[in-house]
Amino acid sequence: MTYRKFNAGKLFTGSEMLDENFVLITEEDGTVQNIVPKPEAGDDIERFEGIISPGFVNCHCHLELSHMKGVIPEKTGIVDFLLRVMKERNFNTEGVQQAIEDAEEEMLHSGIVAVGDICNTTDTIFQKRKRNIYYHNFIEAIGFVEATAEKRFENSKEIFKQFASVYPLPLESNSIAPHAPYSVSEKLFQLIANFPGNQLLTVHNQESEEENEFLYAGTGDFLRLYKELGIDISFFQPKKKRSLEIYLHHFYPNQSLILVHDVVTNEEDLRELSVVSRQLSAETINPKPQTLNLFFCLCPNANEYITGKLPDVDLFIRKNCSVVIGTDSLASNHQLSILEELKTLQRKFPHLETKLLMQWATINGAYALQLDNAIGNFQPGKQPGIVWIDNIQGEKFTPESKSRRVL
Ligand SMILES: [Zn+2]
């Protein structure tokens, strides 16, 4: 059998940052054999300057919006951003498909091996059939008006069925997920939470303070969103609670939920969250030592693009939250690159260690998308993809750092 042997200034294993005295050995197809001390590795070692890492996991993307690159200007704020996506997303099929193909190519080359992808349409199926990247498809359900919940859910189920025909087994590669707390009715949340097989879910959470304000007090810029969309929301009763607390109780302890953005999530929200988790486990008929499994997905470049405000990253670290990374779509980002997200985090929060950031981008992402038995670290037998990051200074990224897939 032919082996490949990788040696670099730093070898990131998925959890540890090893120095240049170690060599990663894989089979020709990238299946990990072992990590050994350099003197035991023999000849034909490939040397890289910088960091060698397992492939990246992008926990939040909308591949179907790739044709919107550069269409919406930066810093519009959340409501105008949403309005413009809705009004300007339609485009000719050929252009949409070409943009999807190019965007996937960009992800592949920059080292992304798995994607949690939001789908409102079936536009991306043709590309996903090629199976270049692992996808978990989150078929998005949206509808704030209670009376339309059943119909909206049926629409999502139709799209779900078409994705399920591409990914016949295991069905866990697709699920139906709520868009956001301000755009999904209680009834629709319940239909989603109770859909058979819906174990892995995601939701846009607390992307802006306007979301908390709208749900808490029924005021603010979101009223303009619904007015401009011509949707009568006079039925809506403000909840006198912040966003996260309002909807989390809909989910079950055996479900896993990726909370995306979390820009205005604060200490109070996380305190409430442990209360909700305890209540959930107490309610289960067959109690297991299990609570709703939460992941916090940071998409810093999209936050910079839309509002310029970033989440309280240190809060999530202090509270031991499972953090993962997403690129969001090309409607709100200049590229689909996990390394560019990590560079932004390290630029804004210089004390963040590269090792921690890379754990978020690899093994944590693999856990979140339930692909940890295949990817996420260099455990023997896995085929996680091998990524090379260059232009490192010490252990820190530099503005010139680039990532590329080497196997
Ligand atoms: Zn999104």
Side-chain angles (χ1 to χ4, degrees), residues 60-62 65 81 118 140 179 203-204 207 260-261 299 302 306 327-329 332:
H60 184 73
C61 188
H62 306 242
L65 295 180
F81 179 80
I118 306 285
E140 194 163 74
H179 169 252
V203 64
H204 293 86
E207 189 169 354
V260 181
H261 290 304
C299 308
I306 298 171
T327 60
D328 217 340
S329 76
S332 61

Side-chain angles (χ1 to χ4, degrees), residues 211-218 236 238-242 246:
E211 172 180 327
N212 283 326
E213 185 190 350
F214 173 66
L215 293 169
Y216 190 96
F236 175 61
K239 308 282 188 204
K240 298 294 174 219
K241 285 179 184 171
R242 289 169 57 83
I246 293 170

Side-chain angles (χ1 to χ4, degrees), residues 22-23 316 351 366:
F22 292 87
V23 174
F316 301 113
H351 57 281

